[in-house]
Every structure is written in C-alpha cells, then in structure tokens.
C-alpha cells in the first residue's frame, strides 16, 4: 500500500510532528510505503495534484482539521482515489460527523485496515466555492470574520464577538428557490448544511447527512438570549434544539437571493459578500474511507 499524508502543519495550533513520527514508525513496521505533503498556503492545490500524479498513492490521509479535510477533498473531487481523516485540528467537526476515531493513531489504523469506501457529498456555491461541513450567511459569518482577524483564539474570543454582533443584529430578507417553489423569509442567518453540527457541537440541522445526496438550507429567524441558551443546551441534549426558530428546506440545488449584500463563510473560511448564491450538491463527489459504524451510510438495497 502507498499512503499519502496531506498535512496542514498549523491547523488548530496543533503540533503534527509527534503524530507524524508515530505514523512513520507504524508504516515502517507494516511495510506501508508513505509520503508526506505539507501545505504552505502557496499554490497548494497545484502542488498536491502534482504529488498525487507522481507518487500515485493508493490512499490519502488528511491530517488536520475541517479546513484540511475540505482542501484534500477538493483536490480529490470526482476522482477514484479514496481519502480518510486523521483529526488533528481545533474542533474536528467533520471528523465527528463522520464517526472518525478521535485518537489520531487509531484513526490511522482504521484508515489503513478498512475496506469500506463510500461517497461523501460536497456543496458547491456559485460554481467555484466548496463546503463539506456547514456554511452560512449573516451573523455567524460576521463573527467568523472578526474572529479570524483577532490574534487571540478560543471560545472566550468567539463569545466576545458573538455578543457584539448580537447587539446589532439586523434581520434581512431571503428568497429561496428550490424544489420548484419560491419561499420568502426574514432571518438573521441562512445556513448551508451538508452536516448537522458546528465544530462547537451545537446542532443547526438535525436531519443533515453528508452522504445522502441532499443538503439543507436553514433560515434562522431570530437570535436572542432565549435561543442562545437553547443552543448551548442542545450541544449536550438535542431535545433543546429550537426547531421553531429555523425554517428548513432539503434539496439538491437552490438559488438564494438576499435583499442586500451579505457575508458568506464556508467551513470557517470567509468568502465575501453576495446578493445571490447558486448552490448545488455534488452527490458522492469524494470517496471516503469509513466503516459500518458510521450511521450516515445509507442502507444497501
């Protein structure tokens, strides 16, 4: 077996070298040929494609957080080369959604041993941007933008920006054309959900499944102290999820318009302001190495 590790050295502020040393010893012990590609932030997609073409691996291991997982998936999109996830980011939200073993070395062992490969969906926005986990427009995108500019990290910093945005929340109008219907709503946030929960563990869409060939649009109509408390509690018990505060549309593609330019973030990356989004699902666009304890797998007829 030839195994390619795709590593983001700085994701989540986690030092990857201890894991890579252990992984190297593991591969040598079991005669697994391996190669490491480290991202630098400069021309990574082209360079990774060249490495894949030259090295010709059998499997790819994405080592990092949600951003590294998405980056690896984009490069492998619509190819037959399967990828697995080694969770070494800050939140590892997508790894949690996909039932990846949280212990990196155990995740590596399962990635090598498993013969279960299934299609993982990706969301495409405006024919050029991708989302594997959760994206949104509105209040959370503005919080993410402010958080990314701050040199301080952690929940305290995120909470500070959340409270600042809460004070100046300004609802907007959104029109969603999907499934042959047009829906008009007012809200403070519009979620694009390929999965169920944010990396914090707070659910946005209880029906999400990143392997079912559909995605959900969630219009959050209001955020106040009451909904904030419910969101915090829903992290520990989903019965507290405030389903009455969110309007949900399940679809394969949609056209979304806003009454003013609104900020979009996808999987933690701020993309920019848009008045219109063309969104479609790439059904099973990535081959994921997984296992049969992953409850997202659809029953085989």
């Amino acid at each position: 077996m030839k195994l390619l590790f795709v590593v983001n050295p700085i994701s989540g502020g986690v030092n990857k070298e201890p894991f890579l040393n252990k992984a190297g010893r593991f591969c040598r012990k079991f005669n697994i040929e391996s190669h490491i590609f480290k991202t630098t932030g400069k021309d990574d997609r082209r360079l990774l494609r060249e490495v894949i073409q030259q090295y010709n691996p059998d499997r790819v291991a994405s080592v990092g957080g949600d951003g590294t997982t998405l980056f690896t998936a984009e490069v492998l999109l619509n190819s037959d080369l399967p990828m697995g996830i080694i969770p070494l980011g800050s939140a590892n939200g997508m790894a949690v959604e996909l039932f990846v073993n949280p212990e990196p070395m155990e995740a590596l062992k399962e990635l090598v041993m498993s013969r279960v490969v299934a299609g993982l969906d990706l969301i495409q926005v405006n024919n050029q941007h991708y989302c594997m986990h959760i994206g949104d427009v509105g209040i959370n995108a503005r919080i993410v933008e402010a958080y990314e500019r701050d040199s301080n990290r952690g929940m305290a910093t995120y909470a500070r920006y959340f409270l600042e945005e809460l004070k100046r929340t300004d609802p907007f109008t959104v029109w969603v054309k999907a499934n042959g219907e047009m829906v008009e709503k007012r809200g403070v946030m519009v979620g694009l959900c390929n999965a169920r929960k944010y990396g914090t563990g707070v659910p946005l869409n209880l029906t999400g499944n990143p392997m079912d060939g559909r995605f959900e649009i969630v219009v959050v109509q209001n955020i106040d102290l009451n909904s904030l408390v419910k969101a915090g509690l829903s992290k520990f018990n989903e019965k507290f999820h405030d389903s009455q505060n969110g309007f949900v549309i399940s679809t394969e593609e949609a056209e979304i318009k806003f009454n003013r330019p609104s900020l979009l973030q996808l999987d933690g990356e701020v993309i920019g302001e848009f008045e219109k989004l063309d969104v479609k699902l790439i059904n099973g666009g990535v081959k994921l190495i997984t296992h049969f304890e992953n409850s997202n797998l659809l029953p085989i007829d």
Side-chain angles (χ1 to χ4, degrees):
M1 176 184 292
K2 296 177 69 175
L3 181 60
L4 174 63
F5 292 94
V6 177
V7 184
N8 183 342
I10 63 173
S11 62
V14 178
N15 182 7
K16 311 301 187 302
E17 291 307 314
F19 165 77
L20 292 176
N21 290 334
K22 292 180 182 178
R25 291 194 295 270
F26 171 83
C27 289
R28 287 190 294 272
K29 179 178 179 179
F30 294 102
N31 196 29
I32 299 170
E33 186 178 341
S34 64
H35 181 78
I36 297 173
F37 174 88
K38 293 184 179 180
T39 62
T40 65
K42 296 180 180 179
D43 209 10
D44 287 324
R45 285 173 177 78
R46 181 184 65 81
L47 293 173
L48 178 54
R49 289 189 179 101
E50 289 182 357
V51 168
I52 290 173
Q53 185 175 17
Q54 295 167 6
Y55 183 62
N56 193 26
D58 298 303
R59 295 187 170 203
V60 175
S62 176
V63 183
D66 289 341
T68 312
T69 300
L70 177 61
F71 164 74
T72 307
E74 285 185 45
V75 173
L76 298 179
L77 185 61
N78 295 324
S79 77
D80 291 326
L81 182 56
M83 66 170 281
I85 302 171
I86 309 294
L88 273 170
S90 54
N92 304 309
M94 199 62 194
V96 173
E97 295 273 6
L98 294 170
F99 298 87
V100 175
N101 195 307
E103 207 290 309
M105 281 305 300
E106 293 302 313
L108 173 59
K109 293 174 186 177
E110 293 181 6
L111 186 157
V112 169
M113 292 188 300
S114 179
R115 294 297 178 265
V116 182
V117 177
L120 176 64
D121 304 333
L122 259 70
I123 295 173
Q124 186 181 58
V125 180
N126 290 350
N127 294 315
Q128 59 178 320
H129 305 293
Y130 295 92
C131 175
M132 177 181 283
H133 190 205
I134 293 178
D136 52 55
V137 171
I139 182 171
N140 187 63
R142 295 195 300 272
I143 295 167
V144 170
E145 181 183 46
Y147 180 84
E148 288 301 314
R149 289 198 302 260
D150 200 312
S151 59
N152 297 312
R153 288 290 185 264
M155 289 304 298
T157 302
Y158 184 88
R160 175 163 62 88
Y161 287 117
F162 184 94
L163 293 174
E164 289 178 4
E165 284 295 334
L166 198 61
K167 295 175 185 177
R168 55 174 179 261
T169 297
D170 184 16
F172 52 86
T173 303
V174 56
W175 294 269
V176 180
K177 183 179 180 181
N179 304 321
E181 298 181 351
M182 177 71 80
V183 176
E184 178 180 340
K185 292 288 179 181
R186 292 278 289 175
V188 296
M189 187 174 84
V190 177
L192 303 177
C193 303
N194 194 36
R196 301 172 69 248
K197 300 180 179 181
Y198 283 109
T200 58
V202 174
L204 180 60
N205 167 39
L206 294 182
T207 62
N209 180 340
M211 306 178 80
D212 67 350
R214 300 183 72 82
F215 70 97
E216 281 71 45
I217 300 166
V218 180
V219 181
V220 179
Q221 296 167 316
N222 182 47
I223 294 181
D224 53 20
L225 183 59
N226 181 54
S227 61
L228 182 60
V229 170
K230 287 183 178 179
L233 292 172
S234 67
K235 174 179 179 179
F236 306 100
N237 190 327
E238 291 182 0
K239 73 177 184 180
F240 290 104
H241 177 68
D242 190 2
S243 58
Q244 301 302 311
N245 191 36
F247 180 82
V248 181
I249 299 172
S250 180
T251 186
E252 298 175 15
E253 59 181 350
E255 180 182 283
I256 305 173
K257 294 182 179 180
F258 310 100
N259 66 321
R260 61 172 184 263
S262 299
L263 193 65
L264 168 72
Q265 72 86 17
L266 299 173
D267 286 354
E269 179 184 356
V270 176
I271 306 301
E273 291 191 340
F274 298 87
E275 290 187 51
K276 177 183 175 183
L277 301 176
D278 289 310
V279 189
K280 65 178 181 181
L281 195 76
I282 303 176
N283 187 354
V286 178
K287 305 304 180 187
L288 177 74
I289 302 166
T290 185
H291 50 75
F292 286 131
E293 290 184 357
N294 177 357
S295 63
N296 293 303
L297 290 172
L298 298 179
I300 300 174
D301 294 332

